């Protein structure tokens, strides 16, 4: 079973910080005093995390990480959607992040576009609130219970 849990700014999200440490080599930091952290469990074990904070007129997403052995199971997609949903509930108009060059395609799937020049192997990306779409159906015409004619 997959579950998600939010930690408010300043909370001790130890299991989320442990995943961040394992994936990025750095754990809890001062930014956690102002960030919402999300933790996703897979089969009863902590599996993925990410965080969201407000700065200079935009919501920023960062440190989205899935444990290496659990990648490719859509846990990254779920983590990103949880962060975007949280921002959406705060009527976000601008969503920003900085992506490693080899991960931009992952963020592009939910609408992020490059913003400005890449530097140091990192690409700034932007998603405007009006372009945010968390509808997994994406208006396809397949025969399913969610179809609206
Ligand atoms: C990037 C990361 C979070 C993806 O997590 P994941 O659980 O493996 O990804 P998912 O299984 O949810 O993939 C969702 C979709 O994104 C695609 N995708 C995943 N990684 C991708 C990448 N690096 N580039 C392009 N597309 C990617 C998948 O193919 C899938 O596509 P689909 O919808 O067509 O099936 C994970 O690889 C990771 O933790 N990487 C290291 C940390 C990192 O670089 N984080 C980003 C910086 S904030």
């Amino acid at each position: 079973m997959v579950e998600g849990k939010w930690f408010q700014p300043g909370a001790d999200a130890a299991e989320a910080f442990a995943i961040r440490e394992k994936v990025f080599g750095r754990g809890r930091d001062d930014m956690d005093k102002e960030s919402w952290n999300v933790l996703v469990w897979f089969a009863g074990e902590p599996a993925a995390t990410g965080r969201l904070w407000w700065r200079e007129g935009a919501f920023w997403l960062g440190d989205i990480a899935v444990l290496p052995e659990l990648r490719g199971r859509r846990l990254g997609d779920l983590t990103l959607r949880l962060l975007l949903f949280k921002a959406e509930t705060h009527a976000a108009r601008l969503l920003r992040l900085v992506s490693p060059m080899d991960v931009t395609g992952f963020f592009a799937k939910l609408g992020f576009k490059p913003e400005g020049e890449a530097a140091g192997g990192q690409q700034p990306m932007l998603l405007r609130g009006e372009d945010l779409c968390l509808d997994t159906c994406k208006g396809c015409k397949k025969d399913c219970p969610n179809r609206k004619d």
Side-chain angles (χ1 to χ4, degrees):
M1 193 165 80
V2 177
E3 296 169 275
K5 181 177 177 183
W6 280 103
F7 294 85
Q8 65 186 24
D12 182 13
E15 290 163 312
F17 303 147
I19 295 172
R20 191 194 297 162
E21 176 80 50
K22 190 163 182 183
V23 172
F24 297 113
R26 49 186 172 72
R28 186 175 194 170
D29 60 28
D30 275 353
M31 277 295 298
D32 291 308
K33 290 180 190 155
E34 50 192 285
S35 305
W36 283 88
N37 275 281
V38 69
L39 176 63
V40 170
W41 275 270
F42 177 76
E45 298 291 335
T49 188
R51 60 178 167 174
L52 178 75
W53 65 94
W54 169 260
R55 192 175 72 212
E56 293 170 4
F59 281 92
W60 288 78
L61 289 69
D63 295 326
I64 297 161
V66 178
L67 289 176
E69 62 273 24
L70 294 174
R71 290 178 192 165
R73 297 169 187 256
R74 308 208 66 80
L75 296 172
D77 179 74
L78 172 63
T79 306
L80 180 55
R81 285 173 185 275
L82 286 166
L83 293 166
L84 292 173
F85 182 72
K86 173 72 91 180
E88 189 177 45
T89 62
H90 287 83
R93 294 180 60 216
L94 295 172
L95 298 120
R96 290 200 156 97
L97 56 82
V98 178
S99 171
M101 294 307 296
D102 62 345
V103 186
T104 57
F106 168 75
F107 293 114
K109 284 183 178 289
L110 281 172
F112 279 92
K113 294 192 166 53
E115 183 185 33
E117 296 296 313
Q122 304 277 317
Q123 175 65 59
M125 300 187 84
L126 171 70
L127 172 60
R128 294 188 182 280
E130 66 259 31
D131 298 329
L132 172 57
C133 178
L134 295 173
D135 178 3
T136 49
C137 286
K138 298 202 185 295
C140 80
K141 300 293 179 195
K142 290 179 191 159
D143 188 17
C144 84
N146 293 329
R147 180 171 171 178
K148 296 186 185 98
D149 288 318

